[in-house]
Amino acid sequence: MMETVKLNQGSEMPLEGFGVFQIPDAAQCEQVTYEAIQTGYRLIDTAAAYMNEEAVGKAVARAIADGITTRDELFITTKVWVQDMKTEETAYAAVKASLQKLGMEYADLILLHQPMGDYFAAYRGIEKAYRDGLTKAIGVANFYPGNLTNLCENVEIIPAVNQVELHPFFTQQAAIDNMKAYGIVPQAWGPLAEGKHGIFTDPVLTEIGKKYGKTAAQVALKWNAQRGVSIIPKSVHVERMQQNIDIWDFALTDDEMAQIAAKDLGHSEIVDHDSPAFVKMVCGMKVHE
Ligand code: NAP
């Protein structure tokens, strides 16, 4: 049985979901999101910056019309992009624009996508969206321990979730401990390391998997889930979607958990959030007029 987690703002979130980053083709995104819901995923993670909120909305509407699920059972996350993190009003307007694209009256989780722009003003914008019932929960993404602590010490509503890069090659256990101290659920983006480091054929993950009849991918996902981290793997292949969600019938031993954690490189090999070039690129990236 898929586990759920109670968020500090009151709602319940499935511990595993389906991510739709890098599926820019609308027809494909609609189809794979529909297939993911058919497969059993109930949490869908999109963002204004993924340019596919309309496709996600269509897939959800189709799945509901076909009787596969209901809006109540689903947990829809989207994110406010940096372009809209200028004032409280621009962030609030971005939430409304996302809901319009999704064709939904409310989201289940709205995240600030990056700790950039005027993120305090933007956070007040999503706090207002939460109070106005436009979303059941609010949170942040890519907030590293310093930013997250500063935010938590200065806002009225503590984020429910912080979505950061978390996988066996970048474990960030201290950051997770800091999130947990604030009652924030850590959520892993790139839980499969975006396929890097030979994760799918990694000898430690593969060997552990043999014992349970699971793949290296399944072991990597389970390892995060078992340490209380929500996971949102992405795949455009149905058999992989099925594989990635079939992780709720086994448990890793403490020794196996430690062996996997020992693979930590201590840094990301996907993105460097401290790089001026990256920050400049993000600050200049427009997702709408
Ligand atoms: P990921 O889920 O770690 O990895 C996805 C890659 O792994 C794809 O190339 C996929 O290929 C492949 N794959 C998936 N399952 C597999 C399996 N069982 N066996 C072999 N290959 C498999 O990376 P991600 O998409 O970057 O992260 C997941 C989600 O996190 C995103 O979709 C997005 O929703 C979110 N995210 C958020 C941020 C942020 O800044 N907040 C950043 C990145 C991602 P195929 O699709 O070809 O199967």
Side-chain angles (χ1 to χ4, degrees):
M1 266 291 277
M2 156 104 59
E3 286 173 33
T4 61
V5 58
K6 177 121 173 141
L7 301 179
N8 61 10
Q9 294 158 17
S11 58
E12 198 93 22
M13 182 176 80
L15 206 54
E16 183 166 13
F18 181 73
V20 297
F21 181 41
Q22 289 170 336
I23 317 178
D25 180 78
Q28 186 187 29
C29 183
E30 181 182 338
Q31 184 57 23
V32 299
T33 304
Y34 182 86
E35 286 167 350
I37 296 170
Q38 238 175 357
T39 303
Y41 292 85
R42 291 294 175 265
L43 186 171
I44 309 293
D45 181 83
T46 183
Y50 303 168
M51 313 288 273
N52 57 19
E53 290 169 306
E54 279 170 359
V56 167
K58 282 186 189 162
V60 164
R62 182 146 66 96
I64 293 172
D66 291 351
I68 298 170
T69 188
T70 60
R71 178 66 189 89
D72 279 0
E73 278 178 6
L74 290 164
F75 189 102
I76 308 297
T77 303
T78 193
K79 313 184 190 88
V80 175
W81 185 243
V82 180
Q83 181 185 1
D84 295 312
M85 293 173 56
K86 290 190 163 66
T87 65
E88 183 176 329
E89 290 73 25
T90 57
Y92 187 85
V95 173
K96 288 209 134 183
S98 283
L99 290 178
Q100 195 172 10
K101 285 189 177 143
L102 287 161
M104 293 175 192
E105 285 175 9
Y106 67 91
D108 293 279
L109 180 62
I110 298 281
L111 305 176
L112 295 185
H113 206 142
Q114 301 283 351
M116 295 180 198
D118 187 344
Y119 61 75
F120 273 100
Y123 197 80
R124 285 193 293 277
I126 63 170
E127 281 180 326
K128 180 168 160 47
Y130 170 75
R131 290 195 183 98
D132 289 353
L134 301 183
T135 182
K136 304 232 186 248
I138 55 172
V140 293
N142 299 301
F143 274 57
Y144 283 87
N147 296 108
L148 186 71
T149 305
N150 185 33
L151 189 80
C152 290
E153 294 297 327
N154 290 288
V155 293
E156 284 177 20
I157 304 173
I158 298 290
V161 168
N162 184 21
Q163 185 182 109
V164 299
E165 181 185 345
L166 295 167
H167 49 74
F169 306 102
F170 192 31
T171 62
Q172 299 210 63
Q173 191 56 52
I176 290 174
D177 294 343
N178 185 51
M179 291 179 217
K180 289 189 176 170
Y182 282 107
I184 298 168
V185 175
Q187 186 168 61
W189 69 250
L192 298 170
E194 296 191 349
K196 292 192 166 49
H197 313 288
I199 187 167
F200 302 121
T201 52
D202 179 84
V204 171
L205 298 173
T206 306
E207 198 51 39
I208 293 172
K210 273 188 196 157
K211 182 173 150 194
Y212 302 103
K214 300 289 176 187
T215 63
Q218 289 171 310
V219 171
L221 294 171
K222 184 70 189 201
W223 167 79
N224 251 332
Q226 211 169 302
R227 63 181 187 144
V229 171
S230 167
I231 42 182
I232 46 168
K234 168 259 176 188
S235 177
V236 297
H237 298 97
V238 173
E239 64 281 7
R240 290 179 180 170
M241 291 175 198
Q242 287 165 343
Q243 188 191 120
N244 293 345
I245 205 174
D246 182 19
I247 61 162
W248 299 99
D249 59 351
F250 75 110
L252 300 165
T253 65
D254 290 348
D255 179 57
E256 289 161 349
M257 290 292 289
Q259 279 183 56
I260 298 166
K263 302 207 75 77
D264 187 24
L265 299 170
H267 63 271
S268 170
E269 289 193 348
I270 297 177
V271 59
D272 177 2
H273 281 94
D274 286 331
S275 144
F278 176 76
V279 176
K280 211 170 160 183
M281 184 275 287
V282 164
C283 289
M285 184 179 140
K286 293 201 184 331
V287 299
H288 60 78
E289 284 305 307

